[in-house]
């Protein structure tokens, strides 16, 4: 028997077909989102990042059919389950049927009717208002979400769109997270009220908690803004963990994907949480999903967490990762994105000067620019490794180029670089940026530890973990801890496959699916004692720079 795991990332989605007996990946397919790749509906200068639901449909059909085509004949008939993970919080307004408004002709080119990507920070004002009211309200609805609500999350984004767009406001009936909409789409849900709601998404991003009856109450929401009036009643009270079946494929989608209507569709969850499952997460293990940003995930039994509220993280939610255990989430708003930004800075003369030269023909010019751009990060890495560590005169940077996710969410923060001289080179600056992402990681680890959460092991997953020994060794040195790297480069999709196998009844528990289907580890990095001592001193400078930058941003 086989299952399909689909991982919807920031730039692309991928599907893997997995043998449930041993976790072997039989086939893999990936596709970039076509409209997103063209940078439609995004305005980076204002932190607006929107994705069209048609992108999600296009990549779903292509990757599933493409992966099946790479398998032996008859594989499609053996598929018993399918599951999704997505970025988040990535919500969109829907009509009464649960259809995202952007799929209707009148809204097809309206960014406010599309899915609001996790990295969209247009709702900073709304997040601040939610935080201010929460601290004076009879119930602090942020208490299980680290005590600080972020502009990256559900309610802030919803309110921002309602305030900004009267047309959307007039037609919006409900809201759906990306990870909830895909299972609803495939199982033929025709009413927004019938969508299976994700425990993971809503516990971490929508202030859902059983102790206060689900979502924040109507009075609280209307006190933030009357525009939210009535919305809660059209939403939901109950959420489900991801391994619970959402239904089976409709005949339409079975035909479109080349599968049978017997395929069980699991509930949805966020990519980092299912990535942690795919990496084999257990108690006292920190799983770092390292990509454009990072998510840091842990699980803990109720006997460990109890009534403890952990400050400044992205939430603690019962069952958001492993059912029966509390899932803990933290992370950085930029990791690989920080390196990508520096690459774009260095690309300027290539794209703005070399592109206009008349010394070579256009075809050669394009190839030269593409090859050079592709070589920037590898060459910076090789040179940065040779620079060594000089804690006394090092360049120090912060990793807040896209705000700070944790500890203590603050999306108005900006990146800083200190210690530049006439002798500062591109490799030295790049090294400082790599060290900044590692220092931001250490700040998260220190917060968990200060809140009484024990970390015995660290696992890294994602492209950077597998492809950049320099980054991973720096991270190990800064954390002063060993780091195991998951063997598969598709841990999130593998985690989704494990969820699919559980939903289909192949395994009674997620832990059983993990035990049978895990990929193991490709490599382990160990800290260099000398480097760790030097980085310990530099980390204090990072904290001082961060404190100064945060005070300046607060005074603006």
């Amino acid at each position: 028997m086989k299952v399909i795991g689909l991982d919807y990332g920031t730039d692309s989605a991928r599907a893997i077909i997995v043998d449930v007996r041993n976790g072997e990946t039989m086939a893999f397919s990936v596709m970039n989102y076509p409209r997103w790749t063209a940078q439609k509906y995004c305005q980076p200068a204002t932190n607006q990042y929107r994705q069209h639901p048609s992108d999600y449909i296009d990549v779903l059909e292509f990757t599933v059919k493409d992966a099946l085509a790479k398998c032996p004949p008859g594989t499609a008939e053996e598929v018993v389950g399918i599951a999704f993970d997505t970025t988040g919080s990535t919500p969109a307004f829907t009509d009464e049927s649960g259809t995202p408004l952007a799929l209707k002709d009148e809204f097809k080119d309206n960014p406010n009717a599309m899915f609001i990507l996790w990295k969209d920070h247009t709702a900073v004002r709304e997040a601040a208002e939610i935080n201010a009211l929460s601290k004076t309200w009879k119930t602090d609805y942020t208490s299980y979400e680290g005590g600080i609500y972020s502009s990256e999350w559900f309610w802030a984004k919803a309110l921002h769109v309602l305030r900004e767009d009267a047309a959307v406001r007039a037609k919006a009936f409900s809201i759906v997270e990306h990870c909830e909409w895909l299972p609803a789409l495939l199982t033929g849900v025709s009413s927004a009220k019938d969508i299976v709601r994700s425990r993971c998404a809503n516990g971490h991003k929508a202030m859902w908690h059983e102790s206060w009856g689900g979502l924040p109450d109507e009075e609280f929401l209307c006190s933030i803004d009357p525009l939210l009036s009535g919305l809660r009643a059209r939403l939901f009270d109950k959420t489900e963990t991801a391994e619970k079946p959402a239904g089976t494929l409709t005949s339409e989608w079975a035909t479109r994907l080349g599968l049978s209507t017997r395929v069980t569709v699991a509930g949805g969850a966020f990519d980092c949480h299912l990535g942690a499952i795919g990496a084999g997460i257990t108690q006292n293990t920190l799983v770092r999903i390292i990509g454009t940003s990072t998510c840091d995930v842990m699980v803990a039994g109720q006997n460990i967490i109890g009534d403890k509220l952990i400050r400044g993280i992205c939430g603690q939610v019962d069952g958001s990762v492993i059912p029966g255990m509390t899932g803990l989430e933290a992370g950085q708003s930029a990791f690989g994105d920080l390196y990508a930004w520096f690459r774009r800075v260095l690309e300027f003369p290539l794209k703005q000067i070399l592109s206009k030269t008349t010394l070579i023909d256009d075809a050669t010019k394009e190839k030269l620019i593409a090859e050079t751009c592709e070589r920037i990060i590898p060459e910076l890495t090789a040179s940065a490794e040779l620079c060594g560590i000089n804690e006394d005169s090092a360049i120090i940077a912060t990793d807040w180029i896209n705000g700070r996710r944790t500890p203590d969410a603050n999306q108005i923060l900006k990146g800083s670089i200190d210690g530049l001289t006439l002798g500062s080179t591109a490799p030295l600056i790049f090294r400082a940026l790599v060290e900044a992402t590692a220092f931001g990681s250490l700040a998260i680890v220190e917060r968990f530890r200060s809140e009484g959460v024990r970390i015995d092991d660290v696992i890294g997953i994602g492209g950077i973990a597998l492809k950049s020994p320099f980054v991973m060794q720096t991270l190990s040195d800064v954390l002063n801890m060993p780091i195991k790297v998951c063997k598969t480069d598709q841990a999130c999709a593998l985690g989704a496959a494990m969820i699919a196998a559980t939903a289909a009844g192949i395994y009674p528990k997620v832990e059983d699916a993990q035990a049978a289907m895990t990929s193991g580890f490709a490599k382990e990095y160990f800290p260099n004692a000398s480097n760790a001592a030097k980085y310990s001193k530099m980390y204090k400078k990072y904290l001082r720079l961060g404190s100064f930058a945060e005070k300046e941003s607060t005074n603006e």
Side-chain angles (χ1 to χ4, degrees):
M1 289 184 284
K2 311 298 185 292
V3 290
I4 299 175
L6 284 122
D7 169 38
Y8 277 76
T10 298
D11 300 321
S12 61
R14 59 222 32 87
I16 61 171
I17 299 176
V18 179
D19 189 319
V20 299
R21 296 170 301 174
N22 52 22
E24 177 188 354
T25 296
M26 299 184 61
F28 162 79
S29 179
V30 63
M31 179 181 175
N32 290 328
Y33 306 126
R35 296 160 191 81
W36 171 262
T37 300
Q39 284 297 283
K40 290 186 175 182
Y41 318 118
C42 296
Q43 297 177 6
T46 60
N47 289 311
Q48 175 182 298
Y49 296 96
R50 310 294 166 84
Q51 292 185 330
H52 202 290
S54 293
D55 267 355
Y56 299 157
I57 293 173
D58 290 346
V59 297
L60 169 63
E61 289 196 78
F62 174 83
T63 58
V64 170
K65 289 190 291 187
D66 185 52
L68 285 171
K70 297 173 182 177
C71 292
T75 299
E77 287 72 27
E78 296 182 56
V79 174
V80 296
I82 187 169
F84 299 89
D85 71 69
T86 74
T87 63
S89 179
T90 302
F93 278 102
T94 76
D95 64 8
E96 195 165 353
S97 73
T99 301
L101 294 181
L103 291 178
K104 295 182 165 298
D105 285 343
E106 64 185 295
F107 292 110
K108 64 181 181 180
D109 291 314
N110 184 341
N112 290 323
M114 299 174 190
F115 283 92
I116 309 170
L117 189 63
W118 65 268
K119 68 193 290 182
D120 187 296
H121 290 166
T122 53
V124 169
R125 171 191 166 197
E126 288 75 14
E129 293 173 23
I130 291 170
N131 283 315
L133 183 62
S134 294
K135 300 313 172 192
T136 61
W137 201 254
K138 56 191 174 185
T139 300
D140 183 356
Y141 291 113
T142 70
S143 57
Y144 286 93
E145 296 186 316
I148 302 174
Y149 203 75
S150 170
S151 64
E152 293 184 351
W153 298 350
F154 181 93
W155 288 110
K157 290 176 171 177
L159 179 55
H160 179 77
V161 169
L162 290 175
R163 284 174 169 173
E164 187 174 77
D165 197 315
V168 169
R169 185 166 67 241
K171 295 296 179 71
F173 178 84
S174 185
I175 324 174
V176 66
E177 282 280 359
H178 182 193
C179 69
E180 299 168 333
W181 177 63
L182 289 168
L185 179 70
L186 266 59
T187 57
V189 171
S190 58
S191 171
K193 291 187 176 182
D194 293 334
I195 295 172
V196 176
R197 299 295 183 162
S198 166
R199 173 73 55 83
C200 172
N202 294 292
H204 284 281
K205 314 299 182 185
M207 299 186 285
W208 181 94
H209 200 269
E210 285 183 321
S211 66
W212 48 68
L215 296 169
D217 67 30
E218 177 80 357
E219 184 184 1
F220 173 81
L221 295 173
C222 291
S223 295
I224 299 170
D225 193 311
L227 287 177
L228 294 173
S229 176
L231 183 57
R232 187 193 189 284
R234 301 195 299 272
L235 292 176
F236 54 91
D237 293 316
K238 186 180 179 182
T239 63
E240 297 289 355
T241 51
E243 88 294 353
K244 298 286 182 62
T248 56
L249 285 180
T250 64
S251 56
E252 176 193 353
W253 274 104
T255 299
R256 289 174 72 168
L257 298 178
L259 297 169
S260 78
T261 56
R262 300 185 302 276
V263 174
T264 297
V265 181
F270 289 157
D271 46 8
C272 58
H273 297 77
L274 296 198
I277 289 174
I281 192 170
T282 57
Q283 286 197 113
N284 306 124
T285 296
L286 175 69
V287 176
R288 309 208 75 224
I289 297 86
I290 306 172
T292 55
S293 65
T294 74
C295 278
D296 299 305
V297 178
M298 299 189 70
V299 294
Q302 194 58 34
N303 60 320
I304 294 175
I305 292 297
D307 296 326
K308 184 185 302 178
L309 295 174
I310 300 172
R311 297 179 301 111
I313 65 171
C314 300
Q316 53 191 88
V317 180
D318 178 34
S320 66
V321 185
I322 303 285
M325 303 182 77
T326 299
L328 309 173
E329 180 193 340
Q332 294 163 271
S333 291
F335 199 98
D337 268 351
L338 184 54
Y339 315 153
W341 161 79
F342 191 52
R343 170 180 151 161
R344 289 195 300 273
V345 171
L346 298 181
E347 287 174 351
F348 178 84
L350 297 171
K351 294 187 173 180
Q352 299 301 321
I353 300 174
L354 183 57
S355 65
K356 299 171 185 175
T357 186
T358 58
L359 298 177
I360 54 177
D361 62 85
D362 288 344
T364 303
K365 190 189 317 179
E366 289 179 10
K367 291 178 181 178
L368 182 60
I369 291 172
E371 180 182 353
T372 305
C373 289
E374 191 66 27
R375 290 297 307 161
I376 287 175
I377 295 297
E379 291 298 329
L380 283 173
T381 297
S383 296
E385 284 185 287
L386 298 175
C387 292
I389 306 169
N390 188 337
E391 70 269 32
D392 296 321
S393 61
I395 301 168
I396 301 292
T398 62
D399 53 311
W400 302 338
I401 198 166
N402 195 28
R404 183 178 64 211
R405 182 176 293 161
T406 58
D408 305 319
N410 188 338
Q411 301 307 154
I412 68 171
L413 294 180
K414 297 176 175 63
S416 306
I417 301 178
D418 181 53
L420 294 173
T421 70
L422 290 175
S424 299
T425 63
L428 283 171
I429 295 171
F430 179 70
R431 184 179 186 107
L433 299 179
V434 171
E435 290 165 347
T437 54
F439 291 145
S441 307
L442 179 56
I444 292 168
V445 168
E446 287 200 333
R447 175 56 60 88
F448 274 128
R449 286 172 171 164
S450 69
E451 293 290 308
V453 179
R454 198 176 90 225
I455 300 176
D456 295 337
D457 299 291
V458 181
I459 297 173
I461 68 173
I464 291 177
L466 278 166
K467 297 175 184 177
S468 182
F470 172 56
V471 171
M472 296 309 295
Q473 186 60 57
T474 302
L475 185 58
S476 177
D477 291 343
V478 169
L479 295 182
N480 200 16
M481 294 183 70
I483 302 175
K484 297 176 183 176
V485 176
C486 200
K487 183 182 296 183
T488 178
D489 60 352
Q490 301 299 334
C492 294
L494 179 59
M498 293 174 181
I499 288 293
T502 309
I506 305 302
Y507 296 103
K509 298 188 303 181
V510 172
E511 294 96 318
D512 296 330
Q514 282 182 295
M517 299 170 68
T518 185
S519 71
F521 303 105
K523 185 176 179 61
E524 185 168 7
Y525 292 89
F526 296 92
N528 177 294
S530 175
N531 290 349
K534 293 175 182 177
Y535 279 136
S536 180
K537 295 179 182 178
M538 290 172 61
Y539 178 63
K540 294 174 183 177
K541 294 182 180 180
Y542 165 87
L543 293 176
R544 287 198 296 271
L545 176 61
S547 177
F548 172 79
E550 189 158 8
K551 288 177 183 176
E552 287 298 303
S553 68
T554 303
N555 293 331
E556 288 180 358

